[in-house]
């Protein structure tokens, strides 16, 4: 097979016309200023693979901020500039383009932020994670569409390999360990044998990066079509154990992830549910270690804790005699992702039936009458309002009231009883 070296046609075919036109004119504009512009990163890989991707990352051998300003002058959009990194983001209509100045990076010690200085395209590609992500496409008018493959990315794409660019890559930035696993599993590639050896050797280096960065990589995994594949592989390689030694990415978890996608309640965050499932079997102390290691935001930490709390009450939830209103009050205070985690992962089938009833029906039940209506009916403002609201909510849940008239009658009886 002749290697593909001209991507101009693919750009036309695979990208929306507006983006393709933008890239062409951006290449021209850079050339007018005596600078060379390139398309880089994941989109180049995906153009070659024929995969959909609209994340445009551009690198200019020159001043990205100045070029972004010139580009945005012709485009009615928004521009966000990060002077510190000499990068800019252009946004117009539904499109976003990232623009950076070519740079070289040096890691003073493992896991540290790199020191950065202006460089050439070859430096900018060399600082990247894997050869398949380290290709570029020229956007200058004379060479528009030419593939620039300095580190063997095309060959690795053809052989379906994830390969680092140099032996210190994982020590420089151990988040690449998680990234290697993610790309391998997403693309159905293999981590190249030498890279795999270095990855295994450098697993202890995961201790050199912050929990925030690990959390970011996990979030990326949870956005994948089948995150369970990367979690399982991370388990086999001993990467998952670095999150917490008790975590496993076995078939049980894979089934739960699959069900999580199928069930997917629109008000819930799938990524939060995945994490709650991953942590589901951890004892309280271990879960707390994970929460603080990943520096989880409050709501997500609460979801993990709630999942444990609901799990601790599964015995109670398994009582088949429970009235709907009792189920509602047992589960009502917990994050709904935590409740769903128990539906998918809880051990007791009768409890799961009650949880399902709660999630699918009970949690959206509301009385018709509001506080205002109750006051109009003669309920004294204050705690009595809450009491009456709960009374009609419970009656609705248990099916003993169905209409507004029923609710009014119930409140009337309750008022009469109170005054009598
Ligand atoms: P995706 O691969 O998830 O479709 P992407 O390839 O655009 O998206 P990003 O995470 O947006 O990946 O990063 C953009 C590019 O930056 C990558 O293609 C890679 O070249 C480079 N990159 C990102 N993270 C790292 C890292 N930790 N080390 C080196 N290079 C990185």
């Amino acid at each position: 097979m002749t290697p593909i070296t001209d991507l101009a046609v693919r750009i036309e075919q695979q990208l929306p016309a507006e983006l393709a036109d933008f890239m062409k004119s951006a290449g021209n504009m850079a050339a007018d200023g005596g600078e060379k512009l390139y398309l880089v990163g994941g989109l180049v890989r995906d153009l070659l693979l024929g995969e959909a991707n609209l994340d445009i990352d551009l690198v200019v051998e020159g001043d990205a901020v100045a070029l972004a300003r010139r580009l945005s002058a012709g485009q009615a959009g928004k521009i966000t500039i990060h002077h510190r990194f000499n990068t800019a983001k252009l946004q117009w209509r539904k499109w976003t383009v990232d623009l950076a100045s070519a740079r070289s990076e040096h890691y003073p010690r493992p896991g540290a932020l790199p020191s950065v200085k202006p460089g050439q395209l070859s430096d900018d590609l060399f600082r990247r994670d894997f050869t398949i992500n380290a290709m570029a496409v020229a956007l200058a008018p004379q060479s528009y569409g030419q593939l620039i493959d300095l580190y063997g990315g095309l060959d690795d794409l053809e052989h379906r390999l994830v390969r680092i660019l140099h032996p210190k890559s994982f020590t420089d930035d151990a988040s690449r360990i998680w990234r290697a696993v993610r790309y391998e599993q997403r693309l159905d590639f293999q981590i190249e044998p030498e890279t795999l050896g270095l990855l295994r050797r450098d697993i202890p280096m995961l201790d050199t990066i912050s929990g925030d960065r690990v959390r970011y990589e996990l979030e990326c995994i949870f956005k994948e079509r089948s995150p369970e594949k990367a979690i399982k592989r991370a388990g086999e390689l001993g990467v998952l154990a670095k999150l917490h030694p008790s975590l496993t990415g076995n078939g049980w978890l894979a089934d739960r992830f699959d069900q999580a996608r199928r069930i997917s309640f629109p008000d819930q965050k799938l990524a939060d549910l995945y994490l709650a499932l991953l942590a589901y079997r951890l004892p309280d102390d271990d879960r707390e270690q994970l929460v603080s290691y990943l520096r989880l935001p409050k709501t997500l930490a609460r979801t993990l804790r709630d999942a444990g709390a609901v799990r601790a009450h599964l015995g109670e939830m398994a009582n088949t005699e429970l009235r709907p209103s009792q189920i509602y009050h047992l589960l009502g205070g917990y994050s709904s992702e935590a409740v769903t985690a128990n539906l998918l992962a809880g051990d007791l089938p009768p409890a799961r039936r009650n949880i399902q009833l709660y999630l699918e029906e009970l949690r959206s039940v509301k009385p018709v009458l509001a506080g205002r209506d109750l006051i109009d009916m003669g309920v004294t403002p204050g705690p009595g309002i809450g009491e009456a609201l709960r009374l009609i909510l419970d009656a609705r849940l248990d099916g003993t009231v169905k209409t507004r008239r029923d609710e009014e009658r119930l409140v009337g009886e309750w008022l009469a009883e109170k005054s009598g």
Side-chain angles (χ1 to χ4, degrees):
M1 202 167 78
T2 2
I4 307 143
T5 52
D6 186 350
L7 286 169
V9 175
R10 291 198 180 211
I11 291 176
E12 293 300 318
Q13 286 174 346
Q14 281 175 236
L15 291 184
E18 264 185 320
L19 283 182
D21 292 348
F22 170 81
M23 290 211 289
K24 196 164 248 174
S25 52
N28 290 341
M29 198 174 277
D32 291 344
E35 293 175 333
K36 287 192 187 138
L37 185 68
Y38 304 90
L39 173 67
V40 293
L43 180 55
V44 178
R45 176 198 70 221
D46 287 340
L47 282 171
L48 288 161
L49 288 171
E51 294 283 333
N53 186 342
L54 297 175
D55 279 342
I56 302 217
D57 279 316
L58 303 180
V59 160
V60 62
E61 282 179 322
D63 186 348
V65 170
L67 177 61
R69 287 218 169 92
R70 297 209 301 281
L71 283 167
S72 75
Q75 211 70 248
K78 204 174 116 193
I79 166 168
T80 317
I81 289 173
H82 290 287
H83 286 288
R84 228 182 104 210
F85 303 107
N86 211 4
T87 60
K89 193 184 270 301
L90 293 171
Q91 286 163 294
W92 77 104
R93 303 220 196 126
K94 56 181 171 168
W95 313 116
T96 304
V97 168
D98 286 304
L99 189 62
S101 298
R103 63 185 194 254
S104 71
E105 283 181 354
H106 169 73
Y107 288 81
R109 60 189 154 76
L113 280 180
S115 60
V116 172
K117 54 179 197 221
Q120 304 201 315
L121 179 72
S122 54
D123 303 309
D124 199 280
L125 296 179
F126 191 65
R127 72 179 177 85
R128 287 167 189 271
D129 47 5
F130 308 112
T131 59
I132 55 170
N133 288 340
M135 291 178 277
V137 175
L139 300 179
Q142 315 81 348
S143 49
Y144 185 83
Q146 281 304 306
L147 180 70
I148 297 160
D149 177 20
L150 305 177
Y151 305 109
L154 189 55
D155 209 40
D156 285 338
L157 263 193
E158 276 167 9
H159 294 95
R160 308 176 74 78
L161 293 172
V162 177
R163 184 197 304 265
I164 44 178
L165 278 91
H166 56 86
K168 271 182 73 236
S169 188
F170 291 131
T171 25
D172 282 347
D173 176 0
S175 74
R176 294 171 187 163
I177 292 179
W178 279 104
R179 298 176 66 83
V181 170
R182 173 159 64 90
Y183 288 117
E184 182 195 50
Q185 296 304 312
R186 178 206 293 178
L187 300 170
D188 215 1
F189 279 26
Q190 298 271 302
I191 299 176
E192 177 276 329
E194 207 173 317
T195 297
L196 188 61
L198 293 166
L199 183 153
R200 288 186 198 275
R201 183 198 72 183
D202 291 338
I203 283 177
M205 290 294 154
L206 282 164
D207 293 340
T208 64
I209 56 171
S210 67
D212 283 324
R213 298 199 52 209
V214 178
R215 188 184 70 239
Y216 172 78
E217 293 302 330
L218 264 188
E219 285 164 2
C220 290
I221 287 180
F222 290 152
K223 285 185 195 144
E224 295 287 324
R225 207 170 299 154
S226 308
E228 59 273 25
K229 290 169 67 187
I231 297 293
K232 176 162 179 270
R233 180 68 160 142
E236 289 161 4
L237 291 170
V239 175
L240 196 59
K242 284 300 216 180
L243 283 186
H244 193 284
S246 316
L247 290 177
T248 47
N250 54 15
W252 177 88
L253 188 73
D255 288 347
R256 300 309 173 286
F257 272 35
D258 185 47
Q259 289 164 9
R261 277 190 297 281
R262 286 165 207 268
I263 199 164
S264 126
F265 291 102
D267 62 314
Q268 297 187 6
K269 288 198 189 120
L270 186 56
D272 292 11
L273 180 53
Y274 283 143
L275 190 62
L277 289 169
L278 180 65
Y280 188 73
R281 291 177 160 184
L282 291 182
D284 291 355
D285 288 352
D286 293 357
R287 185 193 321 112
E288 287 311 314
Q289 281 172 17
L290 183 69
V291 164
S292 61
Y293 170 56
L294 290 176
R295 293 164 44 92
L296 295 184
K298 271 205 185 103
T299 48
L300 190 47
R302 185 187 149 211
T303 290
L304 263 56
R305 290 182 186 125
D306 281 2
V310 174
R311 187 179 180 212
H313 287 99
L314 279 183
E316 240 173 289
M317 286 301 309
N319 178 355
T320 50
E321 312 275 285
L322 285 176
R323 286 194 309 276
S325 58
Q326 291 174 304
I327 300 174
Y328 182 98
H329 294 296
L330 277 170
L331 295 174
Y334 297 114
S335 113
S336 76
E337 285 89 348
V339 177
T340 306
N342 277 275
L343 172 67
L344 301 175
D347 296 324
L348 296 169
R352 292 216 304 270
R353 274 195 293 280
N354 284 337
I355 293 174
Q356 186 163 8
L357 178 69
Y358 169 78
L359 284 167
E360 287 176 356
E361 293 177 29
L362 305 181
R363 70 184 171 124
S364 48
V365 170
K366 302 252 174 319
V368 176
L369 297 180
R372 185 74 254 157
D373 303 312
L374 297 176
I375 293 168
D376 291 346
M377 288 179 69
V379 181
T380 322
I385 300 282
E387 210 180 309
L389 282 174
R390 173 153 174 169
L391 180 78
I392 49 177
L393 172 63
D394 286 0
R396 274 229 170 237
L397 288 161
D398 294 335
T400 54
V401 303
K402 293 201 162 37
T403 62
R404 183 184 178 102
R405 292 276 305 272
D406 291 344
E407 286 186 7
E408 285 168 352
R409 194 173 313 122
L410 185 64
V411 174
E413 284 165 12
W414 175 77
L415 277 172
E417 211 173 286
K418 274 184 91 103
S419 58

